[in-house]
Amino acid sequence: VNTCTPNLSLSDKILYQYRLSPADPWTTYDPALSVIRSGYELKFRIIINNSGNAAAYNIYIVDTLSSNLDYQENSGSVSGSGSTNCNPCAERVQGQTITWPWPRSANSSSNLGDKLNDGANWIFEFRAIANGSSSQPVEFLENSALIWYADDDGSYGEFSVPVTELI
């Protein structure tokens, strides 16, 4: 019986910052005050922590965006102790689903690294453009992140956080 298991958690705050164009400074997203419109560039941040009694190995992320978001290629990056600190991270884009890194495998160049149970966070970020045919504000964004990892005995597990943000 394997009693050493990772316990991954993700931050609740997925939409982190936005800006009208790449020339503009980033503004921190506040759901009570911010208005997101078609054409705005959005920065998503996923904070990954491991509070378990074992490391999570060979991590990769699969994220699915709603149809009102266009992923910005080569914008995925990860930083933190034990991560590959890639910027940009290799990726595969299939429609609205993005996988980092790609191709996936157990060798160190094909995963995001090993998340130790050291109390330190990893920060994973990527960007997308809000799209739509209306000049009205975007009413919702859907984004679901799935984290895959291996435990001490090599079995793969997953941790998923579906997110629907009303804006």
Side-chain angles (χ1 to χ4, degrees), residues 47-92:
I47 299 174
I48 304 169
N49 195 321
N50 180 4
S51 61
N53 58 6
Y57 301 102
N58 305 328
I59 290 177
Y60 66 94
I61 298 174
V62 178
D63 196 281
T64 303
L65 300 174
S66 60
S67 62
N68 62 348
L69 291 171
D70 295 326
Y71 174 69
Q72 296 301 286
E73 289 188 27
N74 298 311
S75 69
S77 67
V78 66
S79 61
S81 176
S83 77
T84 57
N85 291 303
C86 54
N87 185 10
C89 297
E91 64 194 23
R92 178 176 74 170

Side-chain angles (χ1 to χ4, degrees), residues 11 13-16 43-47 123-125:
S11 65
K13 189 173 192 175
I14 301 294
L15 176 55
Y16 176 60
K43 185 186 291 183
F44 292 86
R45 175 176 279 184
I46 301 170
I47 299 174
I123 297 175
F124 184 83
E125 294 182 337

